[in-house]
């Protein structure tokens, strides 16, 4: 009887493992689809602030019933001023600032680059956590040194990829030139600015996630926090547009408000699905496993952009992308190994659950 029970449990764990891995692959492909869809929508002239307002609100509507079903018992009895301030900061950096900068960068660059840049997030979170003493770094530990090396590789890879994507080849003018001359590589200022927008967006996202990790220490309902962030982000973005433009303008006169709601409902729902599954997977297997699938979104968005938008992939940008992904995996691997190895000298007993702690855990 015991062997039968053990066999059933093993099959159940295997099924869950396959489900989580398949789901994470699907989520990253979904992120790639969203990037391509956003690139298409922005090309039609949609105002980015209006898009963020509507899509964030629809994400809130999608996540709210899920949080009611699964996390209602985890809700605190009252909301403190400290939590409200944290929520405003999380929503502003993680929704208003991140998404507005991401959309600006996406419009100036490509879906592939926009999907690849968020893979810098673990490295930037490590830097932010180190600066604010949320992450302890032991320089005598090999894995701490590897985390630093991985962070540097992420940054170097992102910069190299941005430079290669921002260069264009221009041939000499045959009318003004008497003899043929080799093509000249020049920088596309628009793409350079777009890359800076994307890097700044990732810094904003990393700050938001670091603050989320700190907030979840007292507020133990991650899906609820994501729902509240979407709602607060929608409100803050609307206020930002009113302050900046003195009006709330859709900026898409070619189509009706119904089309706007349809697109934002689709993106908001897809984003809500991705958030809810990722939160569940992170609870089951930890953030390290979840983060490892991030590069799939870049591959998916690049492939879809070539097929549906007619984009081209610059071969010169691929080495930078591979260096960035290599740095990402080095940071994640070192983070996972660090807790097991570097604390042995301190005679600290660590069980398997430590691999599933948040990335900011000491």
């Amino acid at each position: 009887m015991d062997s039968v029970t053990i066999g059933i449990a093993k099959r159940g764990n295997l099924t869950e493992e396959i489900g989580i891995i398949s789901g994470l692959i699907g989520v990253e492909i979904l992120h790639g689809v969203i990037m391509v869809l956003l690139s298409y929508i922005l090309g039609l002239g949609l105002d980015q602030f209006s898009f963020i307002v509507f899509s964030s609100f629809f994400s809130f509507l999608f996540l709210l019933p899920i949080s009611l079903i699964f996390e209602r018992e985890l809700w605190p009895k009252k909301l403190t001023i400290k939590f409200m301030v944290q929520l405003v900061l999380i929503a502003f950096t993680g929704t208003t600032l991140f998404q507005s900068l991401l959309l600006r960068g996406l419009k100036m660059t490509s879906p592939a680059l926009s999907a690849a840049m968020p893979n810098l997030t673990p490295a930037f979170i490590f830097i932010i956590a180190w600066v604010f003493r949320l992450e302890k770094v032991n320089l005598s530990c090999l894995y701490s040194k590897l985390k630093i090396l991985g962070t540097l590789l992420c940054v170097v890879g992102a910069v190299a990829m941005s430079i290669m994507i921002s260069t264009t080849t221009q041939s000499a003018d045959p009318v003004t030139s008497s003899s043929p001359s080799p093509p000249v590589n020049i920088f596309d200022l628009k793409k350079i600015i777009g890359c800076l927008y994307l890097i700044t967006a990732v810094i904003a996202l990393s700050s938001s996630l670091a603050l989320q990790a700190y907030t979840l220490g007292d507020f133990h309902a991650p899906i609820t926090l994501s729902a509240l962030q979407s709602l607060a982000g929608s409100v803050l973005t609307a206020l930002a547009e009113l302050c900046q433009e003195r009006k709330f303008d859709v900026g898409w006169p070619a189509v009706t408000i119904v089309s706007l709601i349809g697109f934002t409902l689709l993106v908001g729902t897809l984003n809500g699905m991705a958030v809810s599954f990722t939160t569940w997977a992170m609870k089951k297997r930890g953030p390290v496993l979840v983060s490892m699938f991030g590069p799939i979104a870049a591959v998916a968005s690049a492939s879809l952009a070539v097929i549906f938008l007619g984009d081209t992939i610059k071969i010169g940008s691929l080495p930078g992308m591979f260096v960035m992904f290599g740095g990402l995996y080095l940071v994640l691997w070192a983070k996972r190994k660090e807790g097991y190895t570097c604390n042995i000298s301190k005679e600290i007993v660590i069980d398997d659950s430590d691999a599933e702690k948040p990335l900011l855990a000491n």
Side-chain angles (χ1 to χ4, degrees):
M1 187 67 178
D2 291 340
S3 60
V4 173
T5 305
I6 293 173
I8 294 175
K10 286 184 177 180
R11 284 195 295 271
N13 291 335
L14 179 61
T15 302
E16 182 180 272
E17 192 75 18
I18 293 174
I20 289 174
I21 293 175
S22 302
L24 289 173
I25 294 173
V27 164
E28 295 305 328
I29 293 175
L30 190 61
H31 284 152
V33 172
I34 290 175
M35 282 297 175
V36 174
L37 182 61
L38 286 177
S39 180
Y40 172 75
I41 294 173
L42 292 174
L44 296 177
L46 174 64
D47 178 74
Q48 63 182 29
F49 283 118
S50 302
F51 177 82
I52 296 170
V53 169
F54 281 94
S55 61
S56 297
F57 182 71
F58 288 131
S59 292
F60 163 73
L61 294 180
F62 182 88
L63 293 172
L64 180 61
I66 298 176
S67 64
L68 281 170
I69 295 172
F70 296 103
E71 294 185 345
R72 187 163 187 173
E73 295 181 355
L74 301 175
W75 291 359
K77 294 181 180 179
K78 63 177 182 179
L79 298 178
T80 62
I81 296 178
K82 175 185 176 182
F83 173 77
M84 297 301 293
V85 171
Q86 291 173 338
L87 177 62
V88 170
L89 292 175
I90 289 171
F92 178 74
T93 55
T95 300
T96 303
L97 193 58
F98 165 66
Q99 292 193 22
S100 60
L101 291 171
L102 178 69
L103 293 178
R104 284 180 183 271
L106 172 61
K107 195 172 183 179
M108 293 182 173
T109 56
S110 67
L113 183 62
S114 301
M117 281 297 186
N119 289 286
L120 285 168
T121 303
F124 282 139
I125 288 179
F126 167 65
I127 295 173
I128 293 170
W130 187 10
V131 170
F132 289 97
R133 299 179 181 273
L134 298 173
E135 178 95 9
K136 293 180 180 178
V137 177
N138 181 8
L139 294 179
S140 63
C141 175
L142 173 62
Y143 296 110
S144 291
K145 295 177 182 177
L146 289 177
K147 282 198 299 183
I148 297 174
L149 176 61
T151 301
L152 292 175
L153 287 176
C154 282
V155 175
V156 169
V159 172
M161 182 172 58
S162 301
I163 291 174
M164 294 306 301
I165 287 179
S166 302
T167 55
T168 56
T169 303
Q170 185 177 30
S171 301
D173 190 351
V175 177
T176 59
S177 178
S178 57
S179 60
S181 58
V184 180
N185 290 326
I186 60 174
F187 288 103
D188 187 334
L189 182 60
K190 180 181 177 182
K191 289 185 178 180
I192 292 175
I193 295 174
C195 291
L196 292 176
Y197 274 133
L198 292 176
I199 293 174
T200 309
V202 174
I203 294 174
L205 176 63
S206 303
S207 303
S208 176
L209 292 175
L211 184 56
Q212 280 186 49
Y214 177 77
T215 304
L216 287 172
D218 300 320
F219 189 89
H220 307 291
I223 296 179
T224 304
L225 182 60
S226 297
L228 293 175
Q229 176 189 342
S230 297
L231 177 61
S234 178
V235 174
L236 290 173
T237 306
L239 292 175
E241 182 173 15
L242 289 174
C243 292
Q244 182 175 334
E245 306 291 341
R246 304 295 180 185
K247 61 180 179 178
F248 188 78
D249 185 16
V250 171
W252 200 359
V255 232
T256 63
I257 190 68
V258 176
S259 300
L260 167 66
I261 294 175
F263 274 107
T264 52
L265 175 61
L266 174 62
V267 174
T269 303
L270 292 177
N271 187 58
M273 292 170 59
V275 169
S276 57
F277 183 85
T278 301
T279 303
W280 175 77
M282 193 173 297
K283 185 177 180 181
K284 287 287 186 178
R285 292 294 183 269
V288 173
L289 178 67
V290 173
S291 300
M292 288 177 64
F293 290 86
I296 294 176
V299 176
S301 61
S303 304
L304 293 172
V306 170
I307 295 172
F308 295 104
L309 301 181
D311 287 359
T312 57
I313 299 175
K314 286 194 172 183
I315 303 299
S317 65
L318 295 180
M321 184 179 292
F322 291 146
V323 170
M324 187 178 70
F325 291 161
L328 165 69
Y329 286 127
L330 185 59
V331 170
L332 296 176
W333 179 77
K335 177 61 189 176
R336 181 160 188 162
K337 291 289 185 179
E338 184 181 34
Y340 295 106
T341 304
C342 296
N343 290 327
I344 292 176
S345 60
K346 300 179 183 178
E347 297 182 356
I348 296 177
V349 178
I350 300 176
D351 58 23
D352 292 338
S353 63
D354 283 299
E356 300 179 6
K357 287 183 179 179
L359 286 172
L360 297 182
N362 293 332

